[in-house]
Amino acid sequence: MRKRVFGSIFLTALITLLLTASLLLIAVHTGLAHDMRSRLANECSYIAAAIQDNDWQELGRIGRIYADRITLVGSDGAVLYDNESDVSGMENHATRPEIAQALQNGVGESSRLSDTLSEQTYYYALRLGNGMVLRVASTADSALGALSTASPWIMVIVLLALLVAALLASWLTHVFLEPIVSLDLHAPLKNDAYDELSPLLHRMDKQNHKIESQLNELKRRQAEFDDITARMDEGLVLFSAQGDILFANRAVCALFPEDSAEGGYMTLCRDPEYIRVVEDALSGESAHGRMEKDGRVYSLTASSVAEDGQGHAAVLFVVDVTERDQAERQRQEFTANVSHELKTPLTSIMGYAEIMENGIVRPEDIAPFAGKIRTEARRLLTLIEDIIRLSQLDEGGDPTPFEPVELNALCGTVRDRLQHKAVEHKITLGVTGEPVTVSGQRRTLEQMIFNLADNAIAYNKPNGSVLLETGTQDGAPFVRVSDNGIGIAPADQQRVFERFYRVDKSHSKMTGGTGLGLSIVKHGAALHGAEIEMQSALGEGTTITLHFPRKTEE
Ligand code: ADP
């Protein structure tokens, strides 16, 4: 730019200089030619007046004095006198333009360049009263001649002028460009530039403010988007039409910690389902799929986003559906189990009833048969009650409000209800510990302690003992049911809380168990925010403790 500005200024100066010089030369030369012509005309008139009356001697005298050439031509064009040449060798001048004009009009003039073009001769001719023509001629440098004569000087002047023009151009370039080059574009109005730049700087300042506010808005939106996507439990990935990962939220990075969330879509995951779903979306079709990773199940939903002429970008949602799947599986298992569990006692009842109906039962066997029907019916009833209770707890459908419940007294109630069964099984049942109050549903808490104590009696050994204990541990209330019965193997300790899971099915049925007792305890504990601790050893006994949350100060 600097070179171009310098070049333009310098070139302009150069052209101006050359044009001015040329015009000056032409003007001077034209002026000189004009002067020359008027001088020759005057001289011609004077000489003509002097040689009046054919005073030829006077002509010879004047011709010697005058520096200019004087020629006298007869009316026929023959040269009669010339002060510079011998007239005898001179050709007829009748056809010379100035002579021809003078013979015809009285006066004539012309100019002719020398062979080298360096000189120009001016002629002025006047017809005398006797018909002859007097011609005065003077030679001067032609324009070209003048130019070549003056050329060394002209060269010096031109060079000087060029030097001045170069200096001037350089200075002007600096003056023009320096304020522009040193502009502080971040704070345009703080620049001390010349006035002509002011509108530009104001415009720039306005643009800067606009860009800044747009940038801030963009940053705010980006932060908002980041914030929202970072809080999402679902994984979100955006792919460009070329399949590059444009964005992956925190959930995705947590899902695929060992993979990179940058680069092509393959860098994120190599699962064939994932690749299929993403490729489908990139080719313009929304797709769904599932994949397993580290023992968890993920649902994949990819949507296609058409981009103008560039193919399809894609948005992928990754949702962890492990729990949902598990719940669905459990629900299906539960339904199957419930049907089976309900069918068993009903089949027995039907069998006994049919035998009695057919009259093949002896009268003395009717009572035991009726007793068996009653036992099976009771089993059925207990089962149905447990199922209803469990589904109530499971769905949070028990609206009973929480109240302060003293656990030691509740243990006493449970002991009273189970005393008879304990005696039957030859089990000592006791209650110990300090009174502790928790906030909860009395009925549910009683059922939880009842189920634990009932199991402790049912899975005990003759002459065994069961102890219900309450108290606080680190300020948190607890209730503990311990027995010295058959115990639970380590492999079964977690599973016994599953619905219908029994370590020994026949034993459970013999004791009238439904397989739902500990599930109800688990759900009841969750409802009260209590944690279950189990310690058990085969042949030694089991201790199950419910740790309730610490009471918050009211
Ligand atoms: P059930 O109705 O069969 O007792 P539960 O859910 O109450 O069902 O218990 C599940 C299984 O856990 C029982 O079948 C039993 O095998 C085992 N169990 C529960 N409590 C004890 C205990 N105190 N000692 C030994 N085994 C137990």
Side-chain angles (χ1 to χ4, degrees):
M1 185 64 192
R2 197 179 278 271
K3 274 184 189 166
R4 278 171 62 188
V5 173
F6 175 85
S8 305
I9 296 174
F10 184 72
L11 201 69
T12 310
L14 184 67
I15 291 170
T16 312
L17 188 74
L18 291 178
L19 276 176
T20 312
S22 309
L23 286 173
L24 211 66
L25 204 67
I26 291 167
V28 168
H29 196 261
T30 314
L32 285 175
H34 182 262
D35 285 355
M36 172 81 83
R37 275 201 300 275
S38 29
R39 184 171 65 80
L40 288 178
N42 285 338
E43 273 180 15
C44 202
S45 309
Y46 294 148
I47 296 169
I51 60 169
Q52 260 178 17
D53 307 323
N54 299 331
D55 189 351
W56 305 117
Q57 277 184 354
E58 184 61 15
L59 182 61
R61 201 177 55 83
I62 293 169
R64 279 191 299 278
I65 298 166
Y66 264 73
D68 294 328
R69 186 177 177 185
I70 300 168
T71 311
L72 184 69
V73 179
S75 55
D76 57 350
V79 180
L80 303 176
Y81 170 79
D82 190 290
N83 64 344
E84 285 184 8
S85 303
D86 181 9
V87 295
S88 59
M90 289 175 78
E91 61 183 23
N92 191 292
H93 273 36
T95 53
R96 298 285 168 95
E98 68 280 1
I99 302 291
Q101 281 172 30
L103 284 172
Q104 198 177 347
N105 305 325
V107 287
E109 61 181 307
S110 71
S111 66
R112 284 191 283 281
L113 279 170
S114 67
D115 293 344
T116 57
L117 303 178
S118 62
E119 285 183 339
Q120 191 160 24
T121 307
Y122 293 89
Y123 299 95
Y124 187 85
L126 187 70
R127 193 177 65 204
L128 302 176
N130 56 9
M132 291 177 188
V133 173
L134 178 68
R135 185 182 78 173
V136 182
S138 181
T139 299
D141 282 348
S142 67
L144 198 68
L147 190 68
S148 67
T149 313
S151 61
W153 293 107
I154 289 174
M155 283 297 281
V156 171
I157 290 167
V158 165
L159 282 177
L160 274 174
L162 284 182
L163 188 71
V164 172
L167 288 173
L168 211 65
S170 164
W171 177 72
L172 282 175
T173 306
H174 178 81
V175 169
F176 288 150
L177 293 185
E178 203 47 40
I180 298 173
V181 170
S182 58
L183 277 182
D184 178 2
L185 298 180
H186 296 291
L189 295 185
K190 288 192 180 156
N191 290 296
D192 187 19
Y194 41 86
D195 289 348
E196 286 76 3
L197 280 178
S198 188
L200 176 75
L201 295 177
H202 273 92
R203 183 76 192 232
M204 221 180 246
D205 188 58
K206 220 166 149 184
Q207 294 282 359
N208 277 0
H209 278 97
K210 204 168 164 186
I211 291 169
E212 199 179 311
S213 72
Q214 281 175 349
L215 217 63
N216 285 341
E217 177 64 12
L218 218 63
K219 276 187 195 158
R220 191 186 64 73
R221 286 193 190 176
Q222 182 67 43
E224 211 171 76
F225 178 76
D226 287 349
D227 196 39
I228 292 169
T229 53
R231 284 163 198 256
M232 277 169 62
D233 290 334
E234 296 83 10
L236 173 70
V237 196
L238 307 182
F239 300 98
S240 72
Q242 289 72 39
D244 292 330
I245 299 169
L246 297 175
F247 172 82
N249 73 345
R250 206 178 289 169
V252 166
C253 298
L255 286 181
F256 306 105
E258 74 272 24
D259 299 310
S260 160
E262 283 172 13
Y265 63 95
M266 290 278 216
T267 55
L268 190 64
C269 177
R270 294 277 174 150
D271 185 277
E273 264 296 271
Y274 160 83
I275 293 172
R276 180 188 66 78
V277 165
V278 175
E279 284 181 350
D280 277 2
L282 288 175
S283 65
E285 278 180 33
S286 297
H288 300 276
R290 289 165 81 82
M291 67 170 207
E292 279 182 35
K293 188 171 191 299
D294 305 330
R296 301 196 71 80
V297 186
Y298 297 99
S299 140
L300 307 170
T301 309
S303 305
S304 185
V305 184
E307 277 191 2
D308 287 349
Q310 291 188 25
H312 293 84
V315 182
L316 174 73
F317 276 100
V318 185
V319 184
D320 187 343
V321 291
T322 316
E323 272 75 30
R324 206 170 73 191
D325 265 25
Q326 226 164 30
E328 179 60 20
R329 225 181 10 257
Q330 277 177 359
R331 197 186 61 74
Q332 283 168 1
E333 274 175 24
F334 183 64
T335 312
N337 279 331
V338 165
S339 319
H340 178 73
E341 295 291 332
L342 289 175
K343 222 172 131 186
T344 316
L346 273 175
T347 313
S348 302
I349 291 170
M350 285 273 288
Y352 291 127
E354 261 174 35
I355 296 170
M356 285 165 77
E357 195 182 28
N358 293 339
I360 46 175
V361 184
R362 287 177 299 171
E364 63 267 29
D365 288 338
I366 287 181
F369 264 66
K372 278 180 180 163
I373 289 175
R374 201 173 66 85
T375 309
E376 290 301 326
R378 162 129 308 280
R379 232 172 93 74
L380 204 60
L381 205 64
T382 315
L383 188 63
I384 291 169
E385 277 172 3
D386 275 1
I387 291 168
I388 293 170
R389 189 76 199 117
L390 196 60
S391 62
Q392 276 178 344
L393 287 171
D394 202 10
E395 293 159 14
D398 186 348
T400 314
F402 276 29
E403 57 178 312
V405 181
E406 203 283 286
L407 294 180
N408 197 264
L410 203 62
C411 285
T413 311
V414 170
R415 180 196 52 202
D416 294 347
R417 283 175 60 195
L418 284 170
Q419 192 59 49
H420 182 67
K421 185 175 177 175
V423 172
E424 255 180 29
H425 286 76
K426 298 190 177 63
I427 304 291
T428 319
L429 179 59
V431 176
T432 184
E434 305 156 9
V436 279
T437 305
V438 296
S439 172
Q441 292 177 349
R442 178 177 289 280
R443 192 165 79 99
T444 311
L445 289 169
E446 186 178 331
Q447 192 173 11
M448 288 158 69
I449 299 170
F450 182 92
N451 287 359
L452 290 174
D454 190 41
N455 281 349
I457 295 168
Y459 302 105
N460 216 313
K461 294 179 265 191
N463 302 318
S465 64
V466 173
L467 187 64
L468 311 183
E469 186 190 351
T470 59
T472 50
Q473 194 174 313
D474 300 330
F478 72 86
V479 57
R480 180 172 294 144
V481 179
S482 48
D483 66 70
N484 52 1
I486 60 172
I488 306 169
D492 295 314
Q493 285 179 14
Q494 276 311 308
R495 298 211 61 193
V496 289
F497 291 95
E498 291 173 18
R499 296 163 187 194
F500 296 116
Y501 186 84
R502 293 131 166 163
V503 177
D504 181 346
K505 212 160 189 170
S506 58
H507 189 164
S508 166
K509 281 203 171 151
M510 216 168 62
T511 58
T514 59
L516 295 175
L518 287 184
S519 285
I520 291 174
V521 172
K522 188 171 101 176
H523 283 84
L527 179 72
H528 289 87
E531 278 181 17
I532 303 171
E533 182 194 356
M534 173 187 266
Q535 286 166 325
S536 188
L538 270 182
E540 287 179 23
T542 304
T543 299
I544 298 177
T545 311
L546 300 177
H547 295 279
F548 289 87
R550 255 187 219 100
K551 262 194 258 173
T552 48
E553 294 296 325
E554 286 173 15

